[in-house]
Amino acid sequence: MSCCDLAAAGQRDAQSLLCSQLGKAGIMASDCEPALNQAEGRNPTLERYLGALREAKNDSEQFAALLLVTKAVKAGDIDAKTRRRIFDAVGFTFPNRLLTTKEAPDGCPDHVLRALGVALLACFCSDPELAAHPQVLNKIPILSTFLTARGDPDDAARRSMIDDTYQCLTAVAGTPRGPRHLIAGGTVSALCQAYLGHGYGFDQALALLVGLLAAAETQCWKEGEPDLLAVLRGLSEDFQKAEDASKFELCQLLPLFLPPTTVPSECLRDLQAGLARILGSKLSSWQRNPALKLAARLAHACGSDWIPAGNSGSKFLALLVNLACVEVRLALEETGTEVKEDVVTACYALMELGIQECTRCEQSLLKEPQKVQLVSVMKEAIGSVIHYLQQVGPEKQKEPFVFASVRILGAWLAEETSSLRKEVCQLLPFLVRYAKTLYEEAEEANDLSQQVATLAISPTTPGPTWPGDALRLLLPGWCHLTVEDGPREILIKEGAPSLLCKYFLQQWELTSPGHDTSVLPDSVEISLQTCCHIFLNLVVTAPGLIKRDACFTSLMNTLMASLPALVQQQGRLLLAANVATLGLLMARLLSTSPALQGTPASRGFFAAAILFLSQSHVARATPGSDQAVLALSPDYEGIWADLQELWFLGMQAFTGCVPLLPWLAPAALRSRWPQELLQLLGSVSPNSVKPEMVAAYQGVLVELARANRLCREAMRLQAGEETASHYHMAALEQCLAEP
């Protein structure tokens, strides 16, 4: 038979053609039906057909047998063992030749031979083991080109080849390492182009793209970003224009196509417009929930950047948050109903967006009345979250939805602790136990964060990862709560300070020598700073705890060992300020500790603290004036708003340490800090030094002068009395006047 006869097989009655052609190859027409439809066992017809395939002497006999193979496979009637026997009879050699041949017989379309080769591969790929075979995997680039090849769209044989190609690629995608091979073979771009071309099988292209993105999002975007963005543009435009039920289907697809980097602005515009129309209508839950999940995905990836400014944007954001809060309350307050955890977690993401916008002072999308209304409705939703968490038993503590619920509560407490105070205090013991459980099982905590991302948004990890531990979520709220007597006592009773010390030391290890701090997420340093703020609160409000709890001695040792290197590191001044100030305040309380009695570690710490305190200000010349002014040094200037409170507190703490540690004043003198401080004050205009700066400088100088005679002499030699007079430092003048 000719290959053109084979091409016609897809356009005529397949079974009658098979019977006539097999007769030419020595297989009786009466055997065709059992060969095609026998599902199990070794029937005589199939054995004769396999024998004919193995003993074929010419193309007519081989093609006739192969046609039977392809049609049998298309019927889906053979079992895995029979399929494997067919493969053993055929092998890969002949399909490989069919796929790569460049010359077809006269009068035969070029694609017919390739179509037969693809049909054979599709047969083999029904076996998962064969789908992962190297001979199949190395055909991925060739198969990918078939998806975008031009040809007659009405050609049945070509359509059959495209279906077989998708069958092969889908089978490969279902193997453990298949997605990686498909991505490396250029399949992502081919699928994108096939979908955008809207030719035959484009819906299969989209389905396979969805599977690849779900299995290997990062690799897909790395290999095919331009094409995937083109698909996103097309889907977004379709979503914006859709007036039928397809818009709800697109809601489910679109989250998968949002890139891990920047979403194109035109896509954001279309997505927001489409969501505004959907959510502004009266909907059933199955219609509304995918829209809420898409909005949550956008909020998680883009914050509020995807929402336009102005009246329409503020109304849309208010609608989003209100809908989310209502959904949370309905889900968590109704008893006897199963919570749709994926939807509620998506609503949590929208509530977080609402919290951020309500607390933003500048360029907020919301107007003040809207903020007041949203805070009220979010308070009610947070009350429902607290009620839910109060019911969580130990057996549920490792569930992703519990983690997500703790996250939204942590986001709320970071900004608001005055409302729901009674409920929050009642929940604090659970929160401490929960955080401790996940801290002690850190790997499970990291896995939970990924599960939360999956639960909330899509079958793949969205954008920036969620924090990987519960403590990090709760730190900002606990920082506020440790200022208040009632919550602080509960936290202390439940062992939170000891847990925080362990957590701080663990996080600090990540910044120690041997670790590449350049790749650390910002969240590590932010967590360390927030821990320092909590400890500062405890130092001020619960000094007895610092003295009696051994964990703070370990913390002090770590601070002393770490500060000398930290103050030398570029870009970490704010963390150094926190460590220095906390260490100085703790040193006052632990001054009798052997570790602070002039040991190398204690001397190194105070030398580093002096470096931090002394380098904050410099003399700066001013145009048209003979006298310089006191100004912030360049490293301090940009972050002084966040730094100044710590600096003043550090100066005060250092002053308090001087009389408690007899070796400290001589050490300060050797560092030349008092001399350089007086020199600085003498070189600038007294009018440029603010009163609070004068008070801070005088405090340090007076204590050093009182503690050590050599300090007093050095200050006199540096015109200390004259400088004190210029700045009206009466206490320093009096001290230096003494012998």
Side-chain angles (χ1 to χ4, degrees):
M1 70 183 277
S2 71
C3 52
C4 290
D5 293 328
L6 287 170
Q11 302 170 10
R12 306 176 193 167
D13 181 77
Q15 184 164 317
S16 62
L17 180 60
L18 274 172
C19 293
S20 65
Q21 296 301 328
L22 287 169
K24 296 178 182 179
I27 300 177
M28 298 301 294
S30 60
D31 296 330
C32 291
E33 185 70 26
L36 285 171
N37 297 326
Q38 184 80 15
E40 296 181 2
R42 295 192 178 189
N43 65 74
T45 301
L46 186 56
E47 294 305 314
R48 289 181 61 193
Y49 137 65
L50 289 174
L53 180 61
R54 285 189 292 265
E55 297 171 7
K57 297 177 181 178
N58 54 54
D59 284 350
S60 292
E61 294 178 9
Q62 194 166 30
F63 274 123
L66 287 176
L67 184 59
L68 179 59
V69 174
T70 60
K71 296 305 175 183
V73 172
K74 287 178 185 297
D77 291 332
I78 58 175
D79 59 22
K81 290 182 179 179
T82 304
R83 189 181 301 114
R84 189 57 183 254
R85 291 177 60 239
I86 295 172
F87 164 72
D88 292 337
V90 178
F92 278 113
T93 301
F94 189 64
N96 289 348
R97 187 158 60 88
L98 291 172
L99 288 170
T100 57
T101 185
K102 295 182 179 179
E103 295 183 4
D106 293 340
C108 180
D110 294 340
H111 66 270
V112 171
L113 297 180
R114 293 195 297 271
L116 182 57
V118 176
L120 287 170
L121 280 185
C123 166
F124 301 156
C125 286
S126 337
D127 184 330
E129 185 177 342
L130 292 178
H133 194 285
Q135 286 285 356
V136 172
L137 299 178
N138 65 22
K139 303 300 181 300
I140 290 173
I142 298 175
L143 293 172
S144 296
T145 63
F146 295 163
L147 301 179
T148 55
R150 294 183 178 181
D152 182 359
D154 297 323
D155 187 329
R158 184 178 293 279
R159 289 190 172 199
S160 179
M161 183 179 74
I162 292 175
D163 287 334
D164 288 336
T165 300
Y166 282 118
Q167 183 178 337
C168 292
L169 297 176
T170 301
V172 172
T175 63
R177 306 182 73 178
R180 188 184 71 173
H181 289 293
L182 290 174
I183 295 167
T187 304
V188 172
S189 293
L191 290 170
C192 291
Q193 292 167 27
Y195 173 75
L196 292 169
H198 276 67
Y200 179 77
F202 78 98
D203 53 337
Q204 297 181 71
L206 185 63
L208 189 49
L209 266 178
V210 167
L212 290 178
L213 284 167
E217 178 191 36
T218 302
Q219 292 85 347
C220 284
W221 280 101
K222 182 178 179 181
E223 294 295 328
E225 181 172 352
D227 295 297
L228 284 169
L229 286 176
V231 172
L232 174 62
R233 290 187 181 95
L235 292 173
S236 301
E237 187 175 351
D238 291 344
F239 179 64
Q240 193 271 336
K241 294 178 179 178
E243 298 290 346
D244 55 13
S246 65
K247 59 187 176 184
F248 303 114
E249 297 172 3
L250 286 169
C251 276
Q252 297 176 326
L253 282 179
L254 279 162
L256 286 162
F257 287 89
L258 295 178
T261 53
T262 304
V263 182
S265 58
E266 65 271 24
C267 296
L268 293 177
R269 184 171 57 250
D270 287 341
L271 293 173
Q272 189 275 329
L275 282 171
R277 285 208 309 273
I278 290 176
L279 294 173
S281 306
K282 188 175 182 180
L283 303 170
S284 61
S285 60
W286 74 266
Q287 295 170 322
R288 180 177 59 253
N289 291 345
L292 289 174
K293 292 171 72 173
L294 173 58
R297 177 67 173 86
L298 288 167
H300 192 62
C302 310
S304 61
D305 293 343
W306 61 287
I307 301 176
N311 191 51
S312 63
S314 64
K315 286 183 177 180
F316 175 70
L317 177 56
L319 173 65
L320 272 182
V321 179
N322 273 289
L323 288 173
C325 290
V326 169
E327 190 69 34
V328 168
R329 291 192 64 189
L330 288 175
L332 300 183
E333 292 179 5
E334 288 187 5
T335 57
T337 59
E338 184 179 354
V339 176
K340 295 179 180 178
E341 295 179 351
D342 57 339
V343 177
V344 176
T345 309
C347 291
Y348 287 165
L350 297 176
M351 287 175 61
E352 279 200 55
L353 179 62
I355 292 170
Q356 293 167 7
E357 286 300 315
C358 284
T359 54
R360 180 179 294 182
C361 297
E362 297 180 359
Q363 297 182 332
S364 174
L365 293 172
L366 298 169
K367 301 173 182 177
E368 282 306 313
Q370 290 174 316
K371 291 183 178 181
V372 172
Q373 188 272 328
L374 289 182
V375 167
S376 175
V377 74
M378 285 192 291
K379 174 184 172 182
E380 294 174 350
I382 291 296
S384 299
V385 174
I386 293 174
H387 173 74
Y388 165 76
L389 291 174
Q390 287 171 337
Q391 318 305 315
V392 172
E395 73 283 356
K396 288 190 173 183
Q397 287 194 9
K398 297 178 184 178
E399 293 185 2
F401 184 64
V402 175
F403 189 90
S405 300
V406 171
R407 174 187 169 92
I408 186 60
L409 177 60
W412 173 264
L413 293 177
E415 305 295 343
E416 173 58 57
T417 57
S418 59
S419 60
L420 300 171
R421 182 174 303 180
K422 179 181 177 181
E423 292 83 353
V424 169
C425 287
Q426 291 174 344
L427 191 65
L428 279 179
F430 164 80
L431 294 176
V432 176
R433 291 193 301 271
Y434 180 77
K436 184 178 181 182
T437 298
L438 294 194
Y439 167 77
E440 292 174 348
E441 301 175 19
E443 290 186 3
E444 291 192 29
N446 283 319
D447 182 58
L448 267 180
S449 70
Q450 297 302 315
Q451 292 182 51
V452 168
T454 300
L455 180 69
I457 312 297
S458 69
T460 184
T461 305
T465 56
W466 298 57
D469 59 75
L471 262 176
R472 188 172 300 164
L473 309 176
L474 296 169
L475 287 176
W478 285 8
C479 186
H480 298 315
L481 292 171
T482 48
V483 177
E484 305 176 25
D485 293 340
R488 181 176 63 251
E489 291 175 4
I490 296 173
L491 289 170
I492 292 173
K493 180 181 177 182
E494 296 297 329
S498 176
L499 175 61
L500 288 169
C501 283
K502 294 176 183 177
Y503 178 75
F504 182 90
L505 297 177
Q506 179 207 57
Q507 295 291 295
W508 191 263
E509 279 296 312
L510 299 175
T511 70
S512 61
H515 291 81
D516 185 2
T517 56
S518 64
V519 300
L520 281 178
D522 293 339
S523 57
V524 173
E525 189 148 323
I526 293 173
S527 293
L528 289 170
Q529 292 178 23
T530 310
C531 281
C532 287
H533 295 166
I534 295 174
F535 295 142
L536 286 170
N537 290 341
L538 294 175
V539 167
V540 174
T541 60
L545 174 69
I546 308 299
K547 294 179 180 179
R548 67 174 180 266
D549 198 321
C551 71
F552 288 101
T553 300
S554 299
L555 176 61
M556 185 71 213
N557 291 336
T558 298
L559 298 179
M560 289 194 298
S562 304
L563 185 62
L566 184 60
V567 294
Q568 304 291 342
Q569 295 176 17
Q570 192 71 22
R572 307 191 74 193
L573 182 57
L574 193 55
L575 180 58
N578 277 278
V579 170
T581 304
L582 175 61
L584 289 170
L585 284 168
M586 289 180 63
R588 286 197 313 183
L589 299 176
L590 302 175
S591 60
T592 58
S593 169
L596 285 164
Q597 306 310 310
T599 61
S602 62
R603 290 180 181 274
F605 169 78
F606 276 93
I610 288 173
L611 195 63
F612 159 65
L613 296 171
S614 64
Q615 292 186 339
S616 61
H617 291 78
V618 294
R620 183 175 298 167
T622 54
S625 175
D626 295 335
Q627 202 166 18
V629 297
L630 188 70
L632 287 166
S633 59
D635 288 342
Y636 290 66
E637 193 168 14
I639 58 172
W640 186 246
D642 298 318
L643 201 64
Q644 61 177 336
E645 186 176 354
L646 290 168
W647 186 86
F648 281 108
L649 195 56
M651 290 287 286
Q652 181 182 349
F654 184 93
T655 300
C657 288
V658 172
L660 299 174
L661 301 172
W663 60 268
L664 184 54
L669 182 62
R670 286 192 294 273
S671 74
R672 294 193 54 79
W673 185 27
Q675 299 97 309
E676 291 174 356
L677 180 51
L678 287 169
Q679 183 180 7
L680 175 64
L681 291 173
S683 65
V684 301
S685 167
N687 292 332
S688 68
V689 186
K690 296 179 180 179
E692 59 268 26
M693 294 294 300
V694 173
Y697 286 146
Q698 179 176 222
V700 169
L701 292 170
V702 167
E703 287 301 329
L704 290 173
R706 287 174 178 169
N708 187 271
R709 178 180 57 81
L710 295 178
C711 280
R712 293 194 295 274
E713 292 178 359
M715 290 181 195
R716 293 190 189 104
L717 291 175
Q718 197 61 51
E721 292 173 291
E722 181 180 352
T723 301
S725 176
H726 287 160
Y727 286 89
H728 307 291
M729 297 180 177
L732 181 59
E733 274 192 277
Q734 181 180 352
C735 187
L736 294 179
E738 298 174 359

